[in-house]
Amino acid sequence: GESVGLHLPTLSVQEGDNSIINCAYSNSASDYFIWYKQESGKGPQFIIDIRSNMDKRQGQRVTVLLNKTVKHLSLQIAATQPGDSAVYFCAENPANAGGTSYGKLTFGQGTILTVHP
Amino acid sequence: GAGVSQSPSNKVTEKGKDVELRCDPISGHTALYWYRQSLGQGLEFLIYFQGNSAPDKSGLPSDRFSAERTGGSVSTLTIQRTQQEDSAVYLCASSLSENYEQYFGPGTRLTVT
């Protein structure tokens, strides 16, 4: 079946370094991708999203890259801070058979990011 | 402003009992989603509401699970005859409409003993 998966389950970085979290997806019909951050005991928090008609989108200290050719998504965090430590999930919004989508998200398993001071 | 709220935050129940989980979405959000997150896992879609209608119930694991939404606002997820495998964090999200950013609540941690 279709799935969204992550290459690295854990990532440890030093404060101030840049972090890159990767995600592979398999549903070529997906038209919307989102990165979420989840801290312990909390619900996922939206970080950044990108639609399939784009290959790059930047936010505050974060950049999402989308490579549709190889079905790969990445999240780059600049100058990583201890407060960035969390589990990061990528999610995709696959279009249904009719070619429409309604926000039903398929999530990857998550990457644990640990930032050391 | 107020975000998505869920209650209770924690629920411990005995196997075989019924439980009700509540979600209060952000005011004005027409789309509402329920997801389940097992320990150390990603989120699993359960059901989607647009207004009071549920166009997609495909993620509900069994007929013991049901959900409703009233007044285009509050939603309740009901699990009948709970089983140990139902233990998980149940998350609710709402969005302005479908295909808009989803805002998640803090979740309800359900433990079935």
Side-chain angles (χ1 to χ4, degrees):
Chain A
E2 304 290 353
S3 65
V4 178
L6 292 167
H7 296 304
L8 300 174
T10 62
L11 178 64
S12 293
V13 301
Q14 291 296 126
E15 181 177 3
D17 287 351
N18 296 332
S19 302
I20 300 176
I21 302 172
N22 296 301
C23 177
Y25 67 94
S26 58
N27 189 339
S28 58
S30 291
D31 58 359
Y32 179 52
F33 304 87
I34 314 100
W35 281 100
Y36 283 94
K37 170 186 179 183
Q38 187 175 28
E39 297 173 290
S40 181
K42 297 183 179 179
Q45 176 187 359
F46 173 91
I47 301 174
I48 191 168
D49 60 3
I50 188 168
R51 299 208 177 262
S52 58
N53 60 351
M54 303 173 68
D55 54 20
K56 180 179 180 179
R57 189 159 188 230
Q58 288 184 293
Q60 186 177 11
R61 285 201 305 118
V62 295
T63 300
V64 55
L65 300 178
L66 175 63
N67 186 329
K68 295 181 287 293
T69 301
V70 295
K71 298 178 186 172
H72 185 266
L73 191 69
S74 69
L75 176 70
Q76 300 178 358
I77 305 173
T80 317
Q81 302 167 0
D84 294 328
S85 295
V87 180
Y88 288 81
F89 293 96
C90 62
E92 64 175 322
N93 181 9
N96 59 24
T100 61
S101 57
Y102 52 82
K104 171 184 176 181
L105 298 178
T106 299
F107 282 79
Q109 294 302 302
T111 292
I112 301 172
L113 175 65
T114 303
V115 183
H116 301 283
Chain B
V4 177
S5 61
Q6 292 185 246
S7 61
S9 55
N10 282 283
K11 176 70 176 179
V12 180
T13 190
E14 293 180 352
K15 178 181 174 181
K17 299 285 189 182
D18 297 351
V19 295
E20 283 190 354
L21 312 179
R22 176 187 170 108
C23 172
D24 284 84
I26 293 172
S27 178
H29 281 195
T30 63
L32 186 147
Y33 306 82
W34 282 98
Y35 295 87
R36 179 169 71 174
Q37 186 174 30
S38 300
L39 185 63
Q41 299 295 311
L43 280 71
E44 171 192 15
F45 168 83
L46 297 178
I47 188 170
Y48 153 67
F49 286 93
Q50 180 60 247
N52 293 333
S53 301
D56 189 344
K57 306 178 183 179
S58 63
L60 295 178
S62 73
D63 59 7
R64 296 186 295 106
F65 287 72
S66 63
E68 65 175 11
R69 189 178 184 196
T70 56
S73 181
V74 172
S75 177
T76 302
L77 177 68
T78 301
I79 309 173
Q80 296 178 310
R81 305 180 301 282
T82 51
Q83 303 294 313
Q84 288 187 332
E85 60 263 29
D86 299 334
S87 296
V89 176
Y90 289 82
L91 290 154
C92 173
S94 72
S95 63
L96 190 61
S97 184
E98 56 190 36
N99 290 327
Y100 282 74
E101 176 182 338
Q102 293 182 29
Y103 295 84
F104 281 83
T108 293
R109 181 174 298 278
L110 175 66
T111 304
V112 182
T113 61

